Amino acid sequence: MSEPAELVGRPVRDSVSEYSELAMPNDANPLGTLFGGKVMHLVDLAASLAAARHARRPVVTASVDHLEFIHPVHIGQLLVLRSSVNRVFRTSMEVGVRVCVEDLRTGDIRHTCSAFLTFVALGDDGRPAVIAPVIPETGEEKRRFAQAGDRRRYRLELRARSKSSE
């Protein structure tokens, strides 16, 4: 018996998404740099694109891992966010996002932050739905796949510790 089409694995490349946005004054602080919350919003948006592309159904953000800003984003610079699904578990998936900033005058591109987000796919009834597996093909994708499993174990361990201390 064959698997339903929705459960047939999809390669990572099918989820790759890129989102770009110009840093505008209304999203900046008095120093002329983008608010961190605006960058976080864009990270969530970019990740949701990759997650929805993979799941082919509505997705919701379940968690965001550590996010550290390496370089500021100044008004007039271009943010380029690249996202892809690293690993699917059952009803959840980890998505990685890399954010770069490009100075449009000089062409200089700098990595500004990266994050890992967990998304849950929803069925027609609004409950978590099983997601098709992701198929890593390149060495980099296979490394990210393995590391996503390590991060998931850590997240689950933290959740268990948190519940036991309540």
Side-chain angles (χ1 to χ4, degrees):
M1 184 163 90
S2 65
E3 275 187 306
E6 64 216 19
L7 295 181
V8 173
R10 295 186 187 102
V12 171
R13 64 183 141 79
D14 287 356
S15 72
V16 172
S17 299
E18 191 169 280
Y19 184 84
S20 300
E21 187 163 315
L22 192 63
M24 300 298 286
N26 60 326
D27 294 320
N29 62 31
L31 300 174
T33 59
L34 215 58
F35 286 120
K38 176 65 176 185
V39 177
M40 292 166 59
H41 164 81
L42 295 173
V43 164
D44 192 28
L45 178 61
S48 71
L49 293 172
R53 255 190 178 156
H54 181 82
R56 295 293 177 201
R57 59 180 57 247
V59 296
V60 293
T61 309
S63 71
V64 180
D65 283 10
H66 180 84
L67 181 63
E68 183 176 341
F69 299 105
I70 303 165
H71 295 287
V73 178
H74 298 280
I75 294 171
Q77 291 184 319
L78 182 67
L79 282 117
V80 179
L81 299 92
R82 187 170 169 87
S83 58
S84 62
V85 172
N86 289 335
R87 189 162 179 171
V88 170
F89 298 100
R90 179 171 159 68
T91 60
S92 68
M93 67 191 107
E94 182 191 270
V95 178
V97 180
R98 180 179 172 89
V99 182
C100 290
V101 61
E102 179 179 348
D103 186 311
L104 295 172
R105 289 176 294 136
T106 65
D108 184 40
I109 298 173
R110 299 177 89 177
H111 175 225
T112 192
C113 66
S114 293
F116 299 106
L117 297 84
T118 302
F119 282 82
V120 174
L122 301 178
D124 294 337
D125 60 358
R127 298 177 53 85
V130 176
I131 309 166
V134 70
I135 303 166
E137 298 172 310
T138 68
E140 177 75 6
E141 291 169 356
K142 290 174 184 177
R143 180 187 62 78
R144 288 181 182 184
F145 182 92
Q147 290 175 340
D150 296 339
R151 283 187 293 273
R152 182 170 194 259
R153 280 187 287 284
Y154 179 71
R155 285 185 210 104
L156 293 174
E157 184 180 300
L158 284 178
R159 183 189 296 168
R161 276 194 235 156
S162 174
K163 284 185 179 187
S164 69
S165 68
E166 290 178 353

